[in-house]
Amino acid sequence: LTLIGPIGPSIGTYYIVDAFMVVVLGGVGKLVGTVFGAFGIGMSNTLFEYWTTASLGKVLVFLCIVAFLQWKPMGLVAMRTRSLD
């Protein structure tokens, strides 16, 4: 990160929202889901930024993640449990 931005107390604040979205989208505790989530967010962010501005691209990615989590709230890779529901 030091090659990308300035060094200081707020070095990771630019990336914390994206990292949180990757973990939630992929499924908390699942490495495979995190990798697929990171790849999907990165590709969609790049495509949206190509068609629009960078800020609007991040907003569109965030809206897509919210819509996906409404459909599948456990993320891409859900943990299988044996519940009595």
Side-chain angles (χ1 to χ4, degrees), residues 4-28:
I4 297 172
I7 299 172
S10 63
I11 192 167
T13 58
Y14 302 116
Y15 310 104
I16 193 73
V17 174
D18 291 334
F20 182 72
M21 287 192 305
V22 165
V23 171
V24 169
L25 179 67
V28 177

Side-chain angles (χ1 to χ4, degrees), residues 37-64:
F39 183 72
I41 287 175
M43 291 299 291
S44 60
N45 196 13
T46 303
L47 289 174
F48 287 141
E49 285 181 6
Y50 180 73
W51 290 322
T52 63
T53 63
S55 299
L56 187 58
K58 287 222 180 256
V59 170
L60 291 174
V61 168
F62 181 71
L63 291 175
C64 289

